[in-house]
């Protein structure tokens, strides 16, 4: 490895996104509230899908995996950010930075592939409803979900290994609230042009390839929905699909903005704002979008509340 000795002896400094002005203290409190909502909402989604037998279908199994990924993603960045703000200690160890890079990149990559799997699930359910449980059986569903986790972890290992090969002999201040790979590139005194090319290739594989599958799947789905004779069936299909498309649009739009721009066009302020959106806001919005627009989830929640009240 090419990391200099001083790399191991000095911590990095996370500059964060908040100062101690009244406005920023309010915004910090707002982010903590959003984090708490994301934590509770995603945990609730996982538990509801596990506890209610009516939700034991491939679609909801995949949704539980998305909630689990969002839960882990928001816990990878926000607790450290909150600790740094409240304690005033902005340093993060090299090992802590490595852990954040691996978890954060792995989870982002895993969600990219999982969203493509979810699009395929909706494609089969709407275009081939009578063959759904044959084409989307539990074995295949589990295999595709596991593949999403594996491919995400592989991406995390590749980017972490490349980041470890750099020398950091100048400033230790990372213009982010977590260890983000693009922000670290600015601190390296090593030529990072090869790695920037690698990041672009990874983005094509991890972002554009799954996104193209999603577009193909939903093109077929929309054509099928338009041809449906039943108004109720058309409405239900549109409701399910629009929920997924909203999530896809928010997630892929923000990720491509961060990772597919050249370094010359980067602004630390813009990167912080967009990173906040897809690492904190999106994990909160995902379960709300799916639960508010899904009658089965609402019924499962009412059932759990009803059982609790009856026991009291």
């Amino acid at each position: 490895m090419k990391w200099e000795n001083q790399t191991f002896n000095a911590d990095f400094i996370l500059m964060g996104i908040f100062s101690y002005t009244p406005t920023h203290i309010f915004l910090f409190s707002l982010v903590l509230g959003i984090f708490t909502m994301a934590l509770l909402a995603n945990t609730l989604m996982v538990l509801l899908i596990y506890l209610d037998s009516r939700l034991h279908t491939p679609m909801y199994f995949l949704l539980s995996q998305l909630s689990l990924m969002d839960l882990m993603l928001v816990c990878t960045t926000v607790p450290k950010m909150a600790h740094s703000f409240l304690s005033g200690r902005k340093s993060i160890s090299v090992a802590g930075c490595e852990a954040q890079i691996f978890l954060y990149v792995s989870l982002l990559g895993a969600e990219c592939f999982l969203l493509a799997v979810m699009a395929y699930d909706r494609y089969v359910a709407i275009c081939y409803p009578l063959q759904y449980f044959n084409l989307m059986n539990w074995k295949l569903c589990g295999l595709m979900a596991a593949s999403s986790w594996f491919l995400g972890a592989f991406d995390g290992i590749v980017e972490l290994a490349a980041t470890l090969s750099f020398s950091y002999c100048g400033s230790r201040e990372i213009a982010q609230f977590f260890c983000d790979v693009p922000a670290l590139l600015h601190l390296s005194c090593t030529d990072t042009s090869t790695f920037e090319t690698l990041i672009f290739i990874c983005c094509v594989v991890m972002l554009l390839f799954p996104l193209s599958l999603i577009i193909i799947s939903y093109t077929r789905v929309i054509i099928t929905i338009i041809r449906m004779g039943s108004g109720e069936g058309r409405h239900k299909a549109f409701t399910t699909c629009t929920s997924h498309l909203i999530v896809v649009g928010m997630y892929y739009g923000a990720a491509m903005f961060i990772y597919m721009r050249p370094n010359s066009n980067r602004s630390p302020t813009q990167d912080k704002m967009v990173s906040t959106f897809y690492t904190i806001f999106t994990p909160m919005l995902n379960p709300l979008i799916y639960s508010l627009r899904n009658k089965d989830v609402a019924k499962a929640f009412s059932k759990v509340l009803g059982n609790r009240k009856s026991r009291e």
Side-chain angles (χ1 to χ4, degrees):
M1 293 193 181
K2 299 180 182 179
W3 280 31
E4 306 292 340
N5 288 334
Q6 60 265 37
T7 299
F8 291 96
N9 295 331
D11 293 342
F12 289 105
I13 306 297
L14 296 174
M15 299 307 294
I17 51 178
F18 301 119
S19 62
Y20 293 96
T21 63
T23 301
H24 278 213
I25 290 173
F26 168 75
L27 291 174
F28 171 74
S29 302
L30 183 63
V31 167
L32 276 189
I34 292 170
F35 167 72
T36 303
M37 287 184 64
L39 201 66
L40 294 175
N42 283 291
T43 301
L44 181 62
M45 283 295 291
V46 173
L47 290 176
L48 283 178
I49 292 168
Y50 174 76
L51 293 173
D52 196 311
S53 58
R54 291 175 297 180
L55 303 182
H56 292 177
T57 64
M59 183 183 82
Y60 290 110
F61 170 74
L62 295 174
L63 183 55
S64 73
Q65 297 302 294
L66 179 66
S67 290
L68 184 59
M69 290 175 185
D70 281 338
L71 188 61
M72 294 175 65
L73 180 62
V74 78
C75 289
T76 298
T77 56
V78 177
K80 176 58 183 173
M81 179 196 70
H83 177 266
S84 297
F85 182 82
L86 294 173
S87 67
R89 294 192 294 270
K90 297 184 177 181
S91 63
I92 183 171
S93 67
V94 173
C97 196
E98 292 171 5
Q100 273 199 338
I101 290 172
F102 172 73
L103 289 171
Y104 152 80
V105 173
S106 297
L107 290 166
L108 288 181
E111 283 203 29
C112 285
F113 285 106
L114 185 69
L115 288 172
V117 172
M118 292 173 72
Y120 172 75
D121 172 73
R122 291 300 83 206
Y123 161 70
V124 174
I126 293 172
C127 297
Y128 302 97
L130 299 179
Q131 304 174 50
Y132 176 70
F133 287 103
N134 290 326
L135 295 174
M136 197 66 185
N137 56 68
W138 279 109
K139 183 178 180 179
L140 178 61
C141 182
L143 180 61
M144 290 194 292
S147 298
S148 299
W149 286 95
F150 174 79
L151 291 170
F154 179 75
D155 186 39
I157 291 170
V158 170
E159 295 208 21
L160 177 60
T163 307
L164 286 172
S165 69
F166 297 152
S167 295
Y168 299 94
C169 45
S171 172
R172 319 291 298 179
E173 296 181 348
I174 300 174
Q176 262 290 11
F177 60 94
F178 64 100
C179 284
D180 189 22
V181 174
L184 277 170
L185 294 182
H186 293 288
L187 306 183
S188 176
C189 51
T190 307
D191 179 17
T192 61
S193 57
T194 302
F195 180 62
E196 289 175 33
T197 303
L198 175 64
I199 287 183
F200 183 80
I201 294 171
C202 284
C203 286
V204 170
V205 175
M206 306 297 288
L207 290 172
L208 296 186
F209 177 66
L211 183 59
S212 64
L213 294 178
I214 291 171
I215 292 172
I216 292 170
S217 296
Y218 275 102
T219 300
R220 296 291 302 275
V221 165
I222 290 171
I223 292 172
T224 302
I225 290 174
I226 292 173
R227 292 174 178 173
M228 281 184 177
S230 169
E232 183 180 351
R234 187 185 298 115
H235 174 73
K236 185 176 180 180
F238 262 123
T239 300
T240 303
C241 293
T242 51
S243 298
H244 188 207
L245 288 173
I246 290 170
V247 172
V248 168
M250 292 190 305
Y251 184 81
Y252 278 92
M256 286 190 288
F257 180 84
I258 288 291
Y259 290 103
M260 299 198 74
R261 286 181 304 151
N263 277 343
S264 58
N265 295 337
R266 290 190 177 279
S267 162
T269 302
Q270 287 181 345
D271 285 355
K272 287 180 184 180
M273 291 176 62
V274 178
S275 296
T276 301
F277 179 78
Y278 75 83
T279 60
I280 301 174
F281 286 88
T282 302
M284 177 203 69
L285 292 173
N286 284 352
L288 295 180
I289 290 170
Y290 281 108
S291 61
L292 291 175
R293 298 178 64 87
N294 192 298
K295 293 181 180 179
D296 292 333
V297 174
K299 288 178 181 178
F301 183 63
S302 300
K303 180 182 176 181
V304 171
L305 286 180
N307 290 340
R308 183 178 178 182
K309 289 180 180 179
S310 63
R311 289 174 185 174
E312 293 176 354

